[in-house]
């Protein structure tokens, strides 16, 4: 359903992005912010899913800033490698890539962003720092508790895992307390519960979270 294109950020950085187009006129644009495993098969499938629901979906390859064409699986060495690359990319640079995706897809209409793991952090700071975001859905972003005092400029719906070892429940609850104007959902799954290629996949949680995400996007994007 999709294709890989090249985009250019405001600082001149050129990077890949996976684009999935809907069958008809887009209901809006959804930027899909990947985990630390790159814009891999799973993330492309997520983008395809949003396109099937009527949205133009774009998944930027943020890791192109360090290692081009990076995508991997979910073993412990893969996780360790992804973390090392993540540490080399500032959130501000990642937001430049989000902005480039928004510019590419601006004809699709209003812009939503959804992110998973590190992408969840990007989805959060996009809501607080980036003009033009209509709504945001961060899934279990590990650094969000340390950024909980930022002020969102649009509606935000957080998706948290109650058994997430990376984000203890009390930290997620602290974000909820700091951001009472946002929507917070808690699921019995752990970190990465949305990814059907990870051992932490929790089908029931993933299904309900996706239904809520789509309803949120329908409300705010059309």
């Amino acid at each position: 359903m999709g294709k890989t294109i090249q985009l250019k950020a405001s600082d001149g950085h050129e990077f890949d992005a996976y684009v999935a187009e809907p069958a008809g006129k887009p209901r809006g644009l959804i930027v899909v912010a990947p985990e630390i495993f790159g814009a891999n098969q799973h993330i492309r499938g997520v983008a395809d899913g949003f396109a099937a629901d009527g949205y133009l979906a774009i998944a930027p390859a943020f890791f192109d800033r360090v290692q081009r064409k990076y995508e991997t699986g979910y073993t412990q060495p893969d996780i360790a490698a992804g973390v090392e690359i993540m540490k080399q990319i500032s959130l501000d640079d990642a937001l430049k890539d989000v902005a480039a995706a928004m510019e590419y897809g601006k004809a699709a209409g209003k812009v939503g962003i959804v992110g998973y793991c590190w992408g969840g952090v990007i989805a959060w700071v996009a809501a607080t720092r980036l003009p033009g975001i209509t709504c945001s859905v961060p899934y279990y972003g590990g650094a969000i508790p340390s950024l909980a005092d930022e002020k969102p400029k649009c509606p935000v719906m957080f998706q948290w895992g109650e058994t997430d070892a990376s984000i203890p429940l009390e930290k997620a609850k602290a974000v909820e307390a700091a951001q009472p104007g946002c929507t917070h959902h808690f699921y019995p799954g752990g970190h990465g519960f949305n990814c059907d290629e990870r051992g932490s996949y929790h089908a029931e949680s993933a299904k309900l979270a996706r239904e809520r995400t789509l309803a949120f996007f329908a409300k705010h994007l059309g």
Side-chain angles (χ1 to χ4, degrees):
M1 182 183 291
K3 61 184 178 182
T4 297
I5 62 168
Q6 279 262 304
L7 297 178
K8 181 182 286 189
S10 60
D11 61 354
H13 168 65
E14 295 184 357
F15 62 98
D16 285 350
Y18 180 77
V19 177
E21 299 179 352
K25 181 181 177 181
R27 300 173 63 185
L29 168 64
I30 295 177
V31 178
V32 180
E35 301 170 292
I36 59 171
F37 311 103
N40 63 7
Q41 173 181 298
H42 168 68
I43 290 296
R44 294 193 294 270
V46 170
D48 288 343
F50 286 121
D53 285 298
Y55 298 96
L56 176 65
I58 303 178
F62 298 123
F63 276 17
D64 274 9
R65 286 186 174 270
V66 175
Q67 184 175 329
R68 293 191 178 275
K69 308 294 183 184
Y70 183 90
E71 62 175 89
T72 187
Y74 304 95
T75 66
Q76 282 304 125
D78 291 334
I79 293 170
V83 167
E84 288 307 308
I85 294 177
M86 175 192 71
K87 290 176 179 177
Q88 300 176 60
I89 302 172
S90 72
L91 290 174
D92 286 339
D93 280 347
L95 291 182
K96 291 178 183 132
D97 297 348
V98 172
M102 292 168 63
E103 176 64 23
Y104 174 85
K106 62 184 179 181
K110 295 178 181 178
V111 182
I113 183 168
V114 59
Y116 308 88
C117 182
W118 182 60
V121 180
I122 293 168
W124 169 237
V125 294
T128 65
R129 304 179 189 178
L130 195 61
I133 298 288
T134 301
C135 60
S136 173
V137 183
Y139 278 68
Y140 39 75
I144 290 175
S146 65
L147 301 165
D149 59 347
E150 299 209 14
K151 306 297 183 186
K153 300 175 181 178
C154 66
V156 177
M157 183 171 71
F158 289 99
Q159 312 280 32
W160 303 106
E162 293 176 338
T163 59
D164 188 337
S166 300
I167 312 169
L169 185 57
E170 60 269 22
K171 288 193 174 183
K173 289 290 187 179
V175 177
E176 182 181 32
Q179 297 291 342
C182 299
T183 301
H184 298 259
H185 293 299
F186 293 84
Y187 303 87
H191 195 75
F193 69 73
N194 184 73
C195 179
D196 58 4
E197 295 186 21
R198 297 181 71 169
S200 56
Y201 176 60
H202 192 270
E204 183 179 327
S205 298
K207 180 177 183 293
L208 180 56
R210 188 175 190 278
E211 290 170 355
R212 287 170 168 166
T213 297
L214 287 172
F216 193 73
F217 284 145
K219 176 181 179 180
H220 296 289
L221 304 181

